Amino acid sequence: MNEENYDYIMKLILLGDSSVGKTNILTKYLKNFFDPDSKATVGVEFGTKSVEIEGKKIKVQIWDTAGEERYKSITSTYYKGAKGAFIVYDITRKITFESIDKWIGDLKNNGDENIIIYLVGNKNDLNDKREVDKNEAMNKAEKYNIAFMETSALSGDNIQKIFQDLIEKVYVNFFRNSKANKEKEVNKGIELNKNNKENDNKTTDNNERKQKTERKCC
């Protein structure tokens, strides 16, 4: 299906430190596949999926970015145009959780000011090795007023759900509401023109009555 057959194209990005599982989250979502030997992403990787919401066909473009600092100048350019972002950390490595503020700062500096952010704690299948308490992560999400969920790219736990949630949030905020606002503006313009015409007609009628009165009295 080519791009002309879609109602909307939606860009999402995956951010987070190296080896938190971003690539496996993406492949699990797109192909229901997990590669235990997956290598760290170099630069960016890319995948697409077609979804339908409220009868609208949407082409979702998902960009998987490298987490290493040396690729930052490359990956930050891919923030442009993204309407949604997953910030992923590894629940077994506290240091990756401590990077969340940095990633959110990068998004604020380089991304859309209204981008919707979703915090993801990956590898919850390794609960016995947990270093990040779930309540701590929930508090972090609450601080930034963003959604939060733990996942496992290995088992697939919550992988489909986080993508569905984010895609729906982006659709409502950037596409459905945007269309409704445009229609509201159009209707407002029509109403304004109608009122202006009515006022013009009233002014014309008043002027004609005034002229008739002046002719009678003079």
Side-chain angles (χ1 to χ4, degrees), residues 8 10 53-54 56 58 167-184:
Y8 304 110
M10 181 186 297
I53 302 178
E54 297 181 346
K56 301 295 184 182
I58 302 170
I167 289 168
E168 288 179 354
K169 289 180 191 303
V170 170
Y171 170 77
V172 168
N173 282 273
F174 286 96
F175 300 116
R176 185 213 282 163
N177 284 354
S178 175
K179 181 181 177 183
N181 288 335
K182 284 180 181 178
E183 289 176 349
K184 191 182 293 183

Side-chain angles (χ1 to χ4, degrees), residues 57-118:
K57 294 182 177 64
I58 302 170
K59 181 178 182 180
V60 182
Q61 300 176 336
I62 309 163
W63 296 83
D64 170 24
T65 64
E68 295 181 49
E69 188 67 25
R70 59 181 169 152
Y71 296 120
K72 185 176 178 179
S73 61
I74 301 172
T75 58
S76 61
T77 62
Y78 288 89
Y79 295 4
K80 301 296 184 185
K83 302 303 183 187
F86 294 107
I87 296 181
V88 185
Y89 69 93
D90 178 347
I91 71 163
T92 71
R93 294 163 57 213
K94 184 68 175 281
I95 191 170
T96 65
F97 179 77
E98 292 170 347
S99 297
I100 290 170
D101 296 318
K102 178 199 74 174
W103 289 112
I104 290 180
D106 285 349
L107 270 178
K108 300 293 185 185
N109 291 331
N110 299 289
D112 190 302
E113 64 177 351
N114 297 314
I115 191 169
I116 298 174
I117 303 172
Y118 208 118

Side-chain angles (χ1 to χ4, degrees), residues 111-191:
D112 190 302
E113 64 177 351
N114 297 314
I115 191 169
I116 298 174
I117 303 172
Y118 208 118
L119 181 62
V120 177
N122 194 37
K123 305 185 184 181
N124 69 359
D125 54 284
L126 300 175
N127 196 54
D128 57 326
K129 298 180 181 180
R130 177 186 291 273
E131 291 185 2
V132 182
D133 184 75
K134 191 172 183 179
N135 287 329
E136 185 178 4
M138 291 173 67
N139 289 336
K140 177 73 74 172
E142 187 176 344
K143 171 187 173 183
Y144 287 107
N145 193 29
I146 59 179
F148 162 72
M149 192 168 291
E150 287 192 350
T151 63
S152 168
L154 174 62
S155 70
D157 184 38
N158 288 329
I159 297 297
Q160 296 295 322
K161 182 168 178 53
I162 61 170
F163 277 95
Q164 181 180 342
D165 282 355
L166 184 58
I167 289 168
E168 288 179 354
K169 289 180 191 303
V170 170
Y171 170 77
V172 168
N173 282 273
F174 286 96
F175 300 116
R176 185 213 282 163
N177 284 354
S178 175
K179 181 181 177 183
N181 288 335
K182 284 180 181 178
E183 289 176 349
K184 191 182 293 183
E185 288 300 317
V186 169
N187 291 334
K188 188 190 294 183
I190 292 172
E191 188 64 30

